[in-house]
């Protein structure tokens, strides 16, 4: 783990106003601040400054064709940066603040560095007092991807941010481990039907019920428009294998040199077992678990969960972590 002097602890429910002012002035000056959200930690920059946003791509090693989410303090600000129709505003009223990102047609004031040159922009109001205080103090939207090096598991605590980004970030606001542990659900609202671009912290069953019709699953065309949903991602440096309850462990896996992570009893004697009582717990702990097993030099056997609720997002992250 990298020692860092620029991590500051903040009380999730009562963030110190002076610390938040300092963080806001770093953002206004074009610097980078990592901050907690309810999903994962974000790597934030002034979302209206092309130069500040470019630093995010450099720090993460992120391909420049992958657009960023603009984080807002309140739903009422969305129409400043995007064309918000009636369906979009009803969705925002129902699901924000929360782990849902909506893609809408962008207004011309949104820098091309944020949208990767697309005509659309992704917006979200996070459900975390520190994130909301930071956006409020900065007085502008914060562009932020997850605060990991590109392709790595997302950071669910400040230590993971420090390990991945070290001194590439000016300040890390540390409010402890996040609640949800997987990124927001991303939906595209630019067409007649809402399209799921990335499963995440908001269950698609809730969105389907609200919209009174099922979300469209992404076709190749919308995948092209959301480059972050295409590739191998979320990956530790050790191999990740999927295992489903009731299945035999693949013969090519040596449990003595592997760690198991999941909710069910492990199917063999593993060198390490990280187990959770619920799928919510599994989601919250999976990325830190990946990082722990990686640090121990063990291959990873991850339980393949059932799809309802957070299970669909867990499946997506495990599948993409296991791609080679
Ligand atoms: O929970 C989250 O969403 C976290 C926290 C920090 O808010 N952020 C996050 O950001 O996961 P990132 O950059 O790791 O993922 C953003 C996803 C990517 O898959 C990206 O391709 C997609 O959103 N995206 C962003 N703008 C888009 C756009 N205009 N059209 C389609 N997809 C877009
Ligand atoms: Mg990410």
């Amino acid at each position: 783990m990298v020692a860092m002097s620029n991590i500051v602890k903040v009380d999730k429910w009562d963030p110190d106003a002076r610390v938040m002012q300092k963080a806001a002035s770093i953002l206004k000056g074009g610097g980078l601040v990592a901050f907690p959200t309810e999903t994962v930690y974000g790597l934030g920059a002034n979302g209206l400054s092309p130069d500040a946003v470019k630093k995010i791509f450099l720090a993460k090693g992120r391909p420049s064709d992958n657009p960023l989410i603009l984080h807002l303090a309140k739903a009422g600000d969305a129409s400043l940066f995007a064309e918000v129709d009636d369906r979009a505003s009803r969705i925002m009223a129902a699901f924000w603040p929360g782990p849902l990102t909506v893609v809408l047609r962008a207004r011309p004031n949104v820098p091309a560095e944020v949208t990767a040159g697309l005509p659309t922009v992704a917006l979200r109001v996070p459900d975390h007092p520190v994130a909301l205080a930071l956006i409020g103090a900065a007085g502008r939207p914060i562009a932020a991807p997850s605060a990991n090096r590109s392709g790595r598991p997302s950071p669910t605590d400040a230590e993971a941010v420090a390990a991945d980004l070290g001194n590439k970030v000016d300040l890390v606001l540390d409010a402890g481990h996040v609640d949800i542990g997987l990124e927001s659900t991303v939906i595209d609202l630019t067409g007649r039907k809402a399209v799921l671009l990335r499963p995440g912290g908001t269950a698609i069953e809730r969105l389907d019920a609200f919209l009174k019709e099922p979300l469209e699953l992404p076709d190749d065309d919308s995948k092209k428009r959301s480059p972050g949903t295409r590739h191998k991602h979320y990956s530790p440096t050790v191999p990740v294998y999927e295992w489903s309850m009731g299945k035999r462990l693949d013969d090519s896996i040596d449990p003595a040199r592997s760690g198991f992570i999941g909710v069910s009893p492990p199917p063999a004697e593993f060198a390490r077992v990280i187990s959770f009582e619920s799928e919510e717990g599994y989601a919250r702990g999976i990325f830190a678990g990946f990082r722990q097993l990686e640090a121990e030099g063990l291959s990873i056997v991850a339980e393949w969960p059932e799809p309802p609720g957070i299970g669909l997002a867990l499946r997506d992250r495990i599948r993409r972590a296991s791609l080679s």
Side-chain angles (χ1 to χ4, degrees):
M1 205 126 295
V2 186
M4 267 198 8
S5 54
N6 52 352
I7 302 184
V8 181
K9 283 210 188 313
V10 284
D11 185 332
K12 175 176 175 183
W13 297 108
D14 185 20
D16 184 329
R18 273 171 316 177
V19 173
M20 301 314 294
Q21 281 308 328
K22 184 185 170 200
S25 66
I26 291 171
L27 289 174
K28 288 190 252 185
L32 299 180
V33 175
F35 63 98
T37 79
E38 80 279 37
T39 57
V40 300
Y41 274 71
L43 176 63
N46 176 354
L48 299 181
S49 161
D51 286 340
V53 171
K54 280 183 197 153
K55 290 185 191 165
I56 292 176
F57 288 88
L58 271 177
K60 281 186 59 111
R62 180 178 175 109
S64 58
D65 70 347
N66 195 359
L68 302 175
I69 299 170
L70 276 188
H71 294 71
L72 309 174
K74 56 183 196 300
D77 291 344
S79 59
L80 299 173
F81 308 107
E83 292 170 23
V84 180
D85 60 11
D86 179 58
R87 175 182 59 179
S89 64
R90 285 187 300 111
I91 290 174
M92 291 170 186
F95 291 92
W96 283 358
L100 179 70
T101 296
V102 299
V103 172
L104 298 168
R105 290 199 72 83
R107 294 207 185 281
N109 58 345
V110 179
E113 285 73 10
V114 170
T115 63
L118 293 171
T120 56
V121 63
L123 301 176
R124 149 168 141 83
V125 176
D127 187 14
H128 195 293
V130 174
L132 294 174
L134 181 66
I135 303 163
R140 60 209 76 199
I142 298 181
S146 48
N148 50 281
R149 281 198 60 80
S150 193
R152 301 262 306 137
S154 294
T156 49
D157 56 33
E159 290 74 26
V161 175
D164 264 24
L165 296 176
N167 52 13
K168 293 192 172 75
V169 41
D170 298 299
L171 185 67
V172 182
L173 298 173
D174 176 3
H177 199 287
V178 299
D179 285 334
I180 295 177
L182 303 180
E183 302 79 353
S184 61
T185 301
V186 182
I187 57 172
D188 183 336
L189 294 178
T190 58
R192 199 179 62 75
K193 289 203 162 180
V195 180
L196 177 69
L197 296 181
R198 178 178 74 182
T202 298
I204 61 164
E205 293 84 354
R206 287 187 55 212
L207 289 160
D208 291 351
F210 186 84
L211 292 164
K212 300 195 176 67
E213 64 175 355
L215 287 166
E216 295 264 288
L217 298 182
D219 53 24
D220 287 345
D221 192 48
S222 50
K223 276 189 188 155
K224 260 178 234 145
R225 283 187 270 124
S226 195
T229 59
R230 279 199 311 248
H231 313 294
K232 176 180 171 78
H233 202 6
Y234 313 109
S235 306
T237 52
V238 294
V240 177
Y241 303 99
E242 299 163 5
W243 170 81
S244 306
M245 174 70 165
K247 290 266 163 64
R248 266 196 62 218
L249 196 63
D250 198 282
D251 283 337
S252 62
I253 300 169
D254 177 4
R257 303 175 71 179
S258 307
F260 175 84
I261 185 163
V263 291
S264 301
E269 287 280 330
F270 285 90
R272 166 90 52 213
V273 173
I274 301 177
S275 61
F276 302 97
E277 285 180 0
S278 64
E279 286 204 344
E280 285 71 28
Y282 188 13
R284 185 170 183 270
I286 190 169
F287 285 140
F290 278 4
R291 286 171 182 268
Q292 183 190 332
L293 297 172
E294 169 190 76
E296 295 179 24
L298 299 170
S299 297
I300 298 171
V301 175
E303 182 171 4
W304 187 240
E306 290 305 310
I310 197 73
L312 188 70
L314 264 170
R315 282 188 164 194
D316 171 73
R317 306 308 187 267
I318 293 167
R319 174 57 49 87
R320 287 164 59 203
S322 70
L323 295 176
S324 47

